[in-house]
């Protein structure tokens, strides 16, 4: 389980108290949402992290029996419940039933759009389509929609953090500032769309901030596929900087192959490494660039499996490790060690049959402590790991 901050626990206690009050005031919508939950269950495999199902759909770099192997790999784990869409309601504009899960999935079909940004766009649509007549009703609808999205994939750190930050940012205003409810709702929608734009532009901001650290003739080691790291390298190439990239294969889903292909299209010199050749090649590396699934309170990161060992090798050889991560990935989490994480499972294809008595490690990510990281490039600025907790406090105030 995660070890969370005291502020998170206090907020949870307050939210639980509000939820109990809501249950007495609002009639249940279980009948309306049951059909949606059944449809979602048919489309989603609840035993596999939705992140990896999305990756398979977008990038197609996996074998045909990829999901079948994942099903077998996680068979020994207890079943996780499928998220119920508790925020379905009829839109006054179109007369159709609005579902935040359906809206989220529509946005998520865009391969270059981050999952958290898709959730932020979907939550903005909740405000736009809401039939609420009071601020309390609207905030309850938003909270239910955010809870539905977070339960859609409980292993996604950026999805949970993005929803939490959206709620903090958008509901920071008060209906008392305005003459009527419609004015307050317009203000909420304005803030929601502004937050969506800020989140969407984050990748570009990070790419611009990182350019001063990439110099001509340097060699950069990257791990797996990260859209924000790709944007950093693309911007450097467009600025006519001369550099080369060592790209790890990114087993088992081979995401490094996709990144190497994208860099080749940009005419960037790229060399593909097997994951176990990192230490062998580290002496020719000038810097390491990685993305992050989440940035935690300690200043460390949770990212694709193998990031921790790359950071260990880089630290021992005095190579800087740079992290490129959007601020909506800042999460109020405090893992103490590698096992102190909710498992995000992935399929493993060894190419040969594995005896049933052999246990296979299927965790998709690891935790890199802050002492092995040099700088974090974010849309909030260039941060040292020790500053992350201060930025988290500002974000969630």
């Amino acid at each position: 389980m995660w070890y969370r901050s005291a502020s998170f626990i206090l907020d949870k206690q307050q939210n639980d108290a509000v939820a109990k009050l809501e249950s007495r005031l609002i009639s249940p919508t279980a009948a309306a949402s049951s059909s949606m939950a059944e449809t979602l269950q048919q489309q989603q495999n609840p035993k596999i992290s939705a992140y990896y199902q999305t990756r398979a759909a977008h990038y197609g770099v996996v074998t045909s029996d990829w999901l079948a192997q994942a099903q077998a790999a996680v068979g020994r784990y207890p079943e996780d419940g499928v998220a119920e869409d508790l925020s379905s309601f009829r839109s006054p504009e179109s007369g159709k039933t609005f579902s935040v899960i359906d809206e989220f999935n529509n946005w998520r079909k865009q391969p270059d759009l981050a999952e958290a940004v898709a959730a932020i766009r979907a939550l903005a649509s909740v405000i736009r389509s809401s039939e609420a007549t009071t601020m309390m009703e609207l905030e309850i609808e938003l909270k239910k929609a955010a809870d539905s999205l977070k339960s859609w994939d409980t292993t996604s750190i950026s999805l949970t953090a993005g929803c939490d930050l959206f709620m903090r940012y958008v509901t920071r205003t008060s209906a008392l500032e305005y003459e009527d409810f419609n004015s307050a709702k317009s203000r909420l929608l304005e803030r929601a769309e502004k937050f969506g734009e800020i989140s969407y532009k984050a990748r570009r901001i990070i790419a611009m901030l990182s350019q001063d650290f990439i110099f001509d003739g340097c060699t950069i080691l990257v791990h797996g596929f990260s859209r924000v790291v790709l944007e950093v390298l693309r911007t450097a190439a467009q600025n006519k900087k001369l550099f080369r990239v060592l790209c790890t294969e990114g087993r088992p889903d081979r995401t490094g192959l996709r990144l190497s292909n994208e860099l080749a299209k940009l005419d960037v010199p790229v060399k593909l490494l097997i994951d176990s050749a990192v230490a062998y090649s580290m002496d020719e590396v000038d810097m390491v660039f990685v993305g992050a699934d989440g940035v935690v309170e300690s200043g460390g990161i949770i990212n694709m499996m193998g990031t921790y060992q790359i950071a260990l090798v880089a630290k021992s050889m005095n190579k800087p490790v740079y992290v490129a991560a959007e601020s909506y990935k800042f999460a109020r989490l405090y893992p103490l060690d590698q096992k102190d994480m909710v498992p995000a499972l992935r399929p493993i294809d060894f190419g040969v049959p594995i005896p049933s008595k052999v246990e296979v490690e299927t965790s998709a990510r690891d935790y890199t402590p802050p002492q092995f990281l040099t700088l974090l490039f974010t849309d909030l600025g260039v941060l040292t790991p020790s500053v992350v907790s201060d930025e988290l406090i500002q974000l969630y105030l």
Side-chain angles (χ1 to χ4, degrees), residues 111-131:
D112 291 332
L113 193 68
E115 192 175 73
V117 177
I120 290 167
R121 300 287 197 190
L123 289 172
S125 297
V126 171
I127 301 175
R128 191 179 298 109
S129 304
S130 174
E131 292 181 311

Side-chain angles (χ1 to χ4, degrees), residues 35-50 53-54 57 67 82-83 99 101-106 108-109 152:
S35 59
M36 181 60 62
E38 292 174 0
T39 302
L40 180 63
Q41 188 168 10
Q42 293 173 359
Q43 297 174 349
Q44 286 286 132
N45 186 338
K47 294 185 177 181
I48 306 169
S49 173
Q53 296 190 65
T54 304
L67 292 177
V82 179
S99 167
I101 296 294
D102 289 344
E103 183 73 12
F104 169 66
N105 284 327
N106 288 336
R108 201 169 58 90
K109 291 176 182 177
W152 180 83

Side-chain angles (χ1 to χ4, degrees), residues 71-285:
Q71 181 76 27
V74 302
R76 62 183 180 275
Y77 290 92
E79 293 191 6
D80 296 326
V82 179
E84 289 188 15
D85 189 357
L86 301 176
S87 55
S88 298
F89 52 84
R90 189 170 297 277
S91 171
E93 298 178 0
S94 62
K96 298 180 180 179
T97 300
F98 175 85
S99 167
V100 70
I101 296 294
D102 289 344
E103 183 73 12
F104 169 66
N105 284 327
N106 288 336
W107 283 105
R108 201 169 58 90
K109 291 176 182 177
Q110 302 180 28
D112 291 332
L113 193 68
E115 192 175 73
V117 177
I120 290 167
R121 300 287 197 190
L123 289 172
S125 297
V126 171
I127 301 175
R128 191 179 298 109
S129 304
S130 174
E131 292 181 311
T133 56
T134 66
M135 282 299 298
M136 179 61 72
E137 289 179 7
L138 182 56
E139 288 190 15
I140 289 173
E141 285 184 6
L142 274 176
K143 184 179 182 302
K144 287 185 176 180
D147 290 343
S148 294
L149 289 172
K150 288 189 286 187
S151 60
W152 180 83
D153 182 8
T154 56
T155 65
S156 176
I157 299 171
S158 62
L159 178 60
T160 299
C163 289
D164 289 342
L165 284 170
F166 178 91
M167 294 297 294
R168 290 281 183 173
Y169 182 85
V170 172
T171 60
R172 198 177 291 173
T173 185
S174 172
L176 298 177
E177 301 174 16
Y178 307 98
E179 296 179 358
D180 54 34
F181 169 72
N182 289 331
S183 298
K185 181 178 178 180
S186 298
R187 177 60 173 166
L188 283 179
L189 183 58
E190 178 186 334
R191 292 178 69 88
E193 291 177 344
K194 180 180 178 181
F195 187 72
E197 285 301 315
I198 292 173
S199 301
Y200 182 74
K201 295 177 181 178
R203 200 177 299 162
R204 183 62 184 165
I205 295 172
I206 294 169
M208 297 301 296
L209 289 174
S210 63
Q211 294 309 298
D212 290 341
F213 295 82
I214 300 176
F215 52 89
D216 284 338
C218 70
T219 298
I220 304 172
L221 174 66
V222 297
H223 180 52
F225 182 84
S226 167
R227 285 172 292 199
V228 65
V229 171
L230 176 59
E231 185 66 24
V232 168
L233 299 177
R234 180 188 288 119
T235 302
Q238 292 171 348
N239 291 339
K240 308 300 182 182
K241 293 194 175 185
L242 302 176
F243 61 96
R244 72 185 186 114
V245 178
L246 303 184
C247 186
T248 60
E249 181 187 5
R251 287 276 296 166
D253 47 3
R254 299 178 291 176
T255 51
L257 297 180
R258 175 171 171 79
L259 184 59
S260 62
N261 290 338
E262 294 293 335
L263 293 174
K265 293 176 184 178
L266 299 172
D267 294 325
V268 173
V270 58
K271 182 179 181 180
L272 194 62
L273 306 175
I274 58 174
D275 294 337
S276 55
V278 168
Y280 173 83
S281 305
M282 188 61 73
D283 60 344
E284 54 185 297
V285 170

